Amino acid sequence: MTIRNKVKQSSSEEAELLAPISADPGFIVECDSCFTNLTRAVRIRCADPVCEGSSIDICADCFRQGKEFGRHKAGHAYRVIEKHYTPVLDEDWTGD
């Protein structure tokens, strides 16, 4: 997964990068094959132990084409990651 941040993070903020991406709207998630913006799109995350440490995210088009790059191979296990957004209106939200 490629994450770009609009503001340069200090070393003390590096631990925060491990928090869910949806907590910070300044992040952009890109396909690790074609670099398409996946921030608000369904994406495929490689679940193979070989790729887990590098969080490989792939767009649906590259996944359908069986793209392979680096250690990632087309036959690896995967997870579907739903659209990345935080809803503005929620039934539990009270506005207080």
Side-chain angles (χ1 to χ4, degrees):
M1 162 177 60
T2 303
I3 299 175
R4 294 190 183 177
N5 195 331
K6 292 180 183 177
V7 179
K8 178 120 174 105
Q9 298 292 321
S10 69
S11 60
S12 64
E13 296 173 324
E14 288 178 2
E16 294 177 21
L17 294 177
L18 299 176
I21 296 169
S22 62
D24 187 348
F27 285 102
I28 297 172
V29 179
E30 294 179 334
C31 174
D32 289 312
S33 178
C34 69
F35 306 105
T36 298
N37 185 335
L38 301 176
T39 306
R40 294 194 180 351
V42 174
R43 64 188 186 268
I44 312 302
R45 162 105 13 118
C46 183
D48 191 277
V50 173
C51 296
E52 279 184 348
S54 54
S55 299
I56 301 294
D57 286 321
I58 308 165
C59 69
D61 288 336
C62 289
F63 180 75
R64 280 191 294 268
Q65 295 172 24
K67 296 280 180 101
E68 296 183 341
F69 49 91
R71 292 181 164 180
H72 175 72
K73 303 300 176 200
H76 284 176
Y78 63 91
R79 294 181 310 169
V80 176
I81 309 293
E82 296 295 326
K83 290 183 180 182
H84 167 75
Y85 71 94
T86 303
V88 176
L89 299 176
D90 187 304
E91 63 185 49
D92 295 331
W93 184 68
T94 62
D96 294 334

